[in-house]
Amino acid sequence: MSRSLILKTHKALVSKKVSCLELVNWYLSEIKKSDLNAFITVTEESAIESAKKVDDKIRNGEKIGILEGIPMSLKDNFSTKGIRTTCASKMLENYYPVYDSTVYDVLKKAGCILLGKANLDEFAMGSSNETSYFGPVKNPHDKTRVAGGSSGGACASVASGLATFSIGSDTGGSIRQPASFCGIVGFKPTYGAISRYGLIPLASSLDCVGPLTISVEDASILFDLLSFYDPKDERCSPIKRKPTLNCLENEIKGLKIGVPTNCFYGSDEETYNAVENAVKFYEKLGASVSFFEFPELDLSMPIYCVLGRAETASNMSRFDGIRYGYKYDGPYKDIDDLMTRTRSIAFGEEVKRRILVGSYVLSAGHKALYKKSLNLRNMVIDSFNKRFTEFDVLMMPASPTTAFGFNYAEGDPLKMQLADICVVPANIAGLPAISVPCGYDSNNLPIGLQILGKQWSDDLIFNVANVYEKENFCAKIIGGVQYEV
Amino acid sequence: MVNREEFLKLCKLSRLEFTDDEIPKLMEGMDSIINFGNKVSECKDSSIATDCDVSFVHRELSNIEYEKCIRDELLSGGTNRDGFFFVKNHSN
């Protein structure tokens, strides 16, 4: 039986077991009942309108596409024409974009139905979804814990049956870490594979777009749809993509797996055991496994702290209270004063701190640090290239721990940043990486296995993840819409 | 360690202002991140060529043509996808 929720939903629609309107109303009613705070904006009216159109087509005997009528959520940092796009910030609380992001445009053209815009850390800056201006997101598996971040709302919506799938962004693990915390599949593609046009940027040399789903197959379907050259994103690659969906069932006998042991420092025991068991599973299928030290990986986080914040400070300078977004409405002396008052009121603490660190890194006297980080980033990329001459894929946890409680790192931004220690290296080197559920700890909290490959081996990553999932499927939908087909 | 004078300069540069009560906590948080980022200073310079950047494979593979990626049935029956962003020579 297929594990694909997209295909199950598609079958239910074409076999008329459920009408698209019934389905959408079902989801909308579950969203209203939910107390997870997964959504910032619910697009009820347009979702119902779109559902009626799909039902008309089915009634008229017209063929519908696989994604047509599939209810989805979208992280609220993707521009959606005429639909509020807040980035979970007071700065954009009332911002209605005048254009669609490429990703949303394609999903709309494929017939997907947007249920709403999902909560996130403010401007995607955070690892727990606690920095959102609209409040934190609760983890569906344990409401006293965080959903992870920054795509916390998107992941919680999928894990709690409030959307069939979602789309997130990943600058330093923001797809894979919350996917791991919520027990779903999160895929960060090769840098440049999916267009970021219309994604409100965080750190442009790191930002990626990717799917959040219940199964690997669903993630593969969405990747194949969304991965194409878009000249509107300067770093979107023009190379021809390899399809991933028809590679899912390839045999993995002879696969060479590397497991960097230093990735487990700081991991809790149950996470270590779950990842080790997953690796043993591959060994049984004929893969070879080598554990090794990968010291260059440890440089990724310091490099990220420097380069990520420098790019963030640069990107955030567009929010000045003049062109769009919040504007201070009291008296001011001059334009500088207006900008300062606007930004000081409308940005949250974490955003301000990242801008300040970015300004520090880019200011006169500290440029050596920035240049050194660029230089070392090249070294990390080169080290990965060398490792991928020995191994086909690398495996490690997606997070050193399972979901933590609220206020876990209160007043300690470094502690929160280190929650992303396992996921940042793939962003530094532009690699494809997936988090796939690989078990639960003694508190019944999900654990994620992370699989990384060399650039443009996205097809292999899906293949390797799918082989595991086929025999060890453990994603759960907690409440929300559930139905058998 | 960022001192108060430097902090205030950064605030001006960043177009941000804070109350006196907010400053110590922010400075402390900044320090922890900057000190951590400063670990890169302890490393030797790498001899890797500067053209080895995050998108290097894009250039290496730019002449390789793969089969088309999107299966027709994914979009069949869906609305027309010949949107403005598809470039003829590069669309899949």
Side-chain angles (χ1 to χ4, degrees):
Chain A
M1 191 172 161
S2 171
R3 299 176 300 282
S4 164
L5 200 55
I6 290 175
L7 293 180
K8 281 182 184 176
T9 311
H10 175 71
K11 276 183 193 165
L13 289 172
V14 294
S15 64
K16 298 182 183 171
K17 284 196 172 179
V18 64
S19 75
C20 193
L21 185 60
E22 281 169 335
L23 184 67
V24 164
N25 276 328
W26 196 356
Y27 273 106
L28 289 170
S29 115
E30 291 296 332
I31 290 170
K32 276 180 197 159
K33 280 191 268 174
S34 169
D35 62 353
L36 297 175
N37 199 25
F39 286 87
I40 291 174
T41 303
V42 179
T43 50
E44 182 170 354
E45 215 170 285
S46 62
I48 288 172
E49 277 308 302
S50 306
K52 283 178 183 168
K53 284 179 191 164
V54 174
D55 281 338
D56 284 345
K57 284 180 84 170
I58 295 170
R59 225 180 344 265
N60 295 336
E62 289 177 52
K63 194 180 169 190
I64 62 162
I66 286 169
L67 287 163
E68 209 165 354
I70 307 293
M72 58 167 277
S73 66
L74 186 64
K75 189 174 178 180
D76 201 19
N77 57 350
F78 287 91
S79 300
T80 44
K81 189 177 176 180
I83 300 170
R84 191 166 74 127
T85 299
T86 69
C87 259
S89 178
K90 180 177 174 66
M91 182 62 87
L92 296 179
E93 188 179 2
N94 294 305
Y95 170 57
Y96 290 78
V98 293
Y99 69 102
D100 280 327
S101 51
T102 293
V103 162
Y104 180 55
D105 196 16
V106 173
L107 289 164
K108 254 198 321 191
K109 285 178 169 133
C112 297
I113 294 179
L114 181 68
L115 295 168
K117 305 291 291 291
N119 204 345
L120 64 152
D121 278 298
E122 185 179 6
F123 285 103
M125 297 183 204
S127 312
S128 65
N129 218 129
E130 290 173 292
T131 70
S132 168
Y133 175 64
F134 298 92
V137 177
K138 294 174 189 166
N139 191 309
H141 294 265
D142 178 348
K143 290 178 187 172
T144 67
R145 293 172 190 261
V146 302
S150 63
S151 308
C155 288
S157 71
V158 176
S160 60
L162 305 181
T164 308
F165 71 87
S166 193
I167 302 292
S169 62
D170 190 318
T171 305
S174 287
I175 284 176
R176 290 159 287 149
Q177 187 255 29
S180 166
F181 279 14
C182 291
I184 61 167
V185 174
F187 179 66
K188 172 221 168 292
T190 299
Y191 180 79
I194 297 181
S195 171
R196 303 161 311 166
Y197 177 69
L199 170 71
I200 295 170
L202 173 54
S204 304
S205 79
L206 301 158
D207 291 343
C208 286
V209 172
L212 293 154
T213 58
I214 285 296
S215 68
V216 174
E217 188 174 7
D218 282 346
S220 166
I221 289 170
L222 291 163
F223 176 77
D224 281 359
L225 175 77
L226 297 172
S227 176
F228 61 87
Y229 173 59
D230 177 12
K232 289 190 166 184
D233 174 359
E234 205 177 39
R235 301 308 292 271
C236 189
S237 171
I239 82 160
K240 295 286 177 188
R241 272 64 161 171
K242 209 169 174 181
T244 65
L245 197 55
N246 53 9
C247 300
L248 294 183
E249 300 289 337
N250 289 354
E251 273 203 28
I252 57 136
K253 198 175 174 185
L255 184 82
K256 287 175 274 182
I257 299 172
V259 182
T261 46
N262 43 325
C263 283
F264 291 96
Y265 298 151
S267 285
D268 61 41
E269 197 181 339
E270 289 178 292
T271 299
Y272 179 87
N273 291 340
V275 173
E276 194 185 34
N277 286 339
V279 170
K280 280 180 186 163
F281 167 80
Y282 286 105
E283 220 167 9
K284 279 185 205 153
L285 294 185
S288 66
V289 177
S290 307
F291 288 78
F292 68 102
E293 278 285 319
F294 193 173
E296 293 86 352
L297 267 191
D298 297 340
L299 280 175
S300 297
M301 188 54 99
I303 292 169
Y304 177 80
C305 284
V306 175
L307 299 183
R309 273 145 180 91
E311 292 181 28
T312 296
S314 171
N315 273 323
M316 298 309 285
S317 62
R318 77 195 64 206
F319 299 107
D320 52 13
I322 294 164
R323 286 168 286 195
Y324 60 101
Y326 175 81
K327 181 180 184 177
Y328 173 69
D329 58 3
Y332 53 87
K333 284 183 286 186
D334 53 24
I335 191 122
D336 260 348
D337 190 35
L338 170 65
M339 284 186 206
T340 303
R341 285 170 188 264
T342 296
R343 287 161 64 85
S344 300
I345 291 169
F347 284 146
E349 187 181 314
E350 179 63 18
V351 175
K352 288 175 186 169
R353 187 165 38 234
R354 290 196 190 206
I355 293 171
L356 287 168
V357 174
S359 298
Y360 171 91
V361 166
L362 293 173
S363 60
H366 304 293
K367 284 184 180 166
L369 183 63
Y370 180 73
K371 283 184 179 170
K372 186 73 177 271
S373 301
L374 281 177
N375 177 270
L376 292 178
R377 182 181 191 176
N378 289 336
M379 188 178 83
V380 172
I381 293 170
D382 189 62
S383 304
F384 267 114
N385 290 341
K386 283 178 185 149
R387 297 298 179 184
F388 285 124
T389 61
E390 298 166 54
F391 305 114
D392 300 307
V393 294
L394 302 181
M395 290 188 187
M396 57 184 82
S399 168
T401 65
T402 51
F404 41 79
F406 293 99
N407 304 317
Y408 155 84
E410 201 174 10
D412 187 349
L414 182 59
K415 186 177 177 188
M416 184 58 81
Q417 185 66 80
L418 292 176
D420 290 335
I421 194 133
C422 300
V423 276
V424 158
N427 297 82
I428 291 296
L431 308 174
I434 199 166
S435 175
V436 61
C438 68
Y440 292 82
D441 71 5
S442 45
N443 292 318
N444 228 3
L445 294 168
I447 300 168
L449 166 70
Q450 189 183 192
I451 306 167
L452 288 83
K454 64 181 177 184
Q455 287 197 348
W456 299 104
S457 69
D458 304 66
D459 56 321
L460 179 66
I461 299 299
F462 280 120
N463 174 207
V464 174
N466 188 62
V467 164
Y468 177 82
E469 188 194 76
K470 194 174 175 182
E471 300 297 327
N472 304 281
F473 183 64
C474 62
K476 289 178 196 164
I477 301 176
I478 312 290
V481 173
Q482 302 194 345
Y483 52 93
E484 291 292 324
V485 178
Chain B
M1 189 87 178
V2 180
N3 60 37
R4 191 179 169 91
E5 192 188 349
E6 193 171 17
F7 179 82
L8 293 176
K9 273 186 196 167
L10 290 170
C11 291
K12 199 168 181 210
L13 199 66
S14 309
R15 306 285 193 277
L16 290 170
E17 62 185 1
F18 301 96
T19 63
D20 282 346
D21 292 346
E22 291 173 313
I23 292 174
K25 190 181 165 199
L26 269 158
M27 281 175 64
E28 194 185 334
M30 274 181 75
D31 270 341
S32 69
I33 296 290
I34 291 168
N35 289 339
F36 187 71
N38 255 321
K39 283 188 176 183
V40 298
S41 309
E42 296 159 15
C43 301
K44 282 185 186 168
D45 268 333
S46 118
S47 56
I48 306 303
T50 50
D51 63 349
C52 173
D53 83 356
V54 73
S55 58
F56 72 103
V57 185
H58 299 192
R59 291 192 291 276
E60 280 180 20
L61 297 181
S62 58
N63 295 324
I64 298 174
E65 293 225 349
Y66 289 117
E67 58 188 294
K68 74 174 183 177
C69 187
I70 300 172
R71 297 174 310 152
D72 289 340
E73 63 264 36
L74 264 181
L75 288 156
S76 64
T79 39
N80 175 23
R81 70 184 284 268
D82 293 329
F84 57 90
F85 50 81
F86 286 100
V87 174
K88 266 191 176 177
N89 293 335
H90 293 298
S91 65
N92 293 299

